[in-house]
Amino acid sequence: MKLALVPAIAGVLVTCPALAQTRAVSPPLKAVRSAIRSATVEPAASGFVSGTQVYPWSDGAIFTGYAAPGLVTDIGLQPRESLIAVASGDTARWVIGDTTSGSGETQQTHVLVKPFSAGLTTNLVITTDRRTYHVRLVSTAGTALSSIRWTYPQDELLALQRKAAIAEAALPIARGVAVDRLHFNYEISGDKPAWRPLRAFDDGQRTYIEFPASIESSEAPPLFVVGAGGDAELVNYRQRGRFYVVDRVFDTTELRLGRKKQQVVRIDRVSPTSKRRGA
């Protein structure tokens, strides 16, 4: 009788493959389960703002939403974010819809979910014009999140960077410059690339080189000071918007860009005396 148990157990495993799978999980399935566990984000007490669970947005994360029969859980998207599609793994036992609130700058899309019973688990994929949300839905007997929202750290950082750039662009190129000391007698010669300077001037202490507006979004040429012997030396400067600011006054400088086919623009400071002689 004892010997007969071995083939009997083997027969059970053959007729019930699910039982065999629970005993030995393949490495790929283990990897999938481990990755999903690591990516899943659960509600936290510190994440509640009143009754709303606010998650920090992270691409690829799976956000958990708890729902209950007879209650609607509101999943709110970013203001002015346009909904493209909503897909769920279980549309037979979950009611899923969407609506909007507000208008203009405050318009917001809401995805509404409600389960038919407790003990259900499914997933929700929400695609918009900005990102894709992955939500794990779990239904309980009576505990549900009233609403879910997100903060968007990357968007907030970009907004701060744009604000800082606008503030910097509004600043004057230099402070305390006496207009009567400005010297505009500079000659610009050489090649004519898209970044060719519009003009150059100095205040007796610093030199300013003005470029077309496109210089802020294109490759900027390095600046070289040309000595009396013709030797070129790279000079330190700072870029303020479409201006180069050099903390010195030079007689001759060159802007050079490229290696094989180098573009060179020469800038010469012309003294009032030499200009009168050439007149």
Side-chain angles (χ1 to χ4, degrees):
M1 293 295 293
K2 291 182 180 179
L3 296 176
L5 288 175
V6 176
I9 293 173
V12 170
L13 294 177
V14 171
T15 55
C16 301
L19 180 60
Q21 289 179 6
T22 58
R23 292 178 178 273
V25 180
S26 66
L29 290 179
K30 287 183 179 178
V32 170
R33 292 176 183 178
S34 176
I36 290 175
R37 280 196 301 269
S38 299
T40 300
V41 183
E42 294 281 352
S46 60
F48 278 96
V49 177
S50 296
T52 300
Q53 173 64 205
V54 181
Y55 288 117
W57 166 258
S58 178
D59 191 20
I62 302 171
F63 303 96
T64 303
Y66 288 97
L71 299 173
V72 174
T73 296
D74 169 21
I75 302 174
L77 307 185
Q78 190 176 27
R80 294 184 292 115
E81 185 173 14
S82 299
L83 180 66
I84 296 176
V86 179
S88 173
D90 185 355
T91 56
R93 297 179 295 176
W94 290 79
V95 178
I96 301 171
D98 64 88
T99 187
T100 58
S101 65
S103 61
E105 294 294 315
T106 62
Q107 183 169 325
Q108 187 176 23
T109 299
H110 304 261
V111 177
L112 310 176
V113 298
K114 183 177 71 172
F116 282 125
S117 61
L120 305 177
T121 302
T122 189
N123 73 314
L124 197 65
V125 179
I126 305 170
T127 57
T128 74
D129 61 340
R130 299 180 183 178
R131 56 185 63 86
T132 300
Y133 298 83
H134 295 272
V135 180
R136 174 176 172 264
L137 294 175
V138 179
S139 67
T140 70
T143 302
L145 290 170
S146 61
S147 60
I148 299 172
R149 299 289 188 275
W150 284 268
T151 58
Y152 303 88
Q154 186 173 5
D155 288 10
E156 292 167 5
L157 177 60
L158 290 174
L160 287 174
Q161 290 175 341
R162 285 195 295 268
K163 186 177 180 180
I166 292 172
E168 184 178 356
L171 292 174
I173 303 169
R175 298 179 184 274
V177 177
V179 178
D180 57 347
R181 295 183 60 187
L182 293 179
H183 178 92
F184 289 92
N185 295 330
Y186 281 83
E187 290 183 353
I188 300 175
S189 59
D191 295 328
K192 296 183 179 180
W195 48 263
R196 181 185 172 100
L198 301 176
R199 62 176 174 171
F201 58 94
D202 69 77
D203 60 4
Q205 294 180 334
R206 290 176 294 272
T207 302
Y208 307 89
I209 304 173
E210 183 182 0
F211 292 87
S214 59
I215 192 70
E216 297 185 61
S217 58
S218 61
E219 187 177 3
L223 183 66
F224 297 85
V225 170
V226 180
D231 297 329
E233 177 185 354
L234 188 64
V235 66
N236 291 327
Y237 61 90
R238 58 187 178 277
Q239 185 171 351
R240 291 291 303 273
R242 56 195 181 100
F243 285 85
Y244 279 8
V245 181
V246 188
D247 289 326
R248 57 177 288 190
V249 175
F250 53 79
D251 290 326
T252 302
T253 189
E254 288 183 352
L255 294 157
R256 302 177 181 180
L257 186 62
R259 292 186 177 181
K260 292 183 179 180
K261 192 176 180 181
Q262 193 174 59
Q263 295 174 312
V264 180
V265 175
R266 184 181 178 96
I267 303 174
D268 290 292
R269 188 176 192 268
V270 181
S271 67
T273 303
S274 62
K275 190 166 186 178
R276 282 197 298 268
R277 289 175 181 173

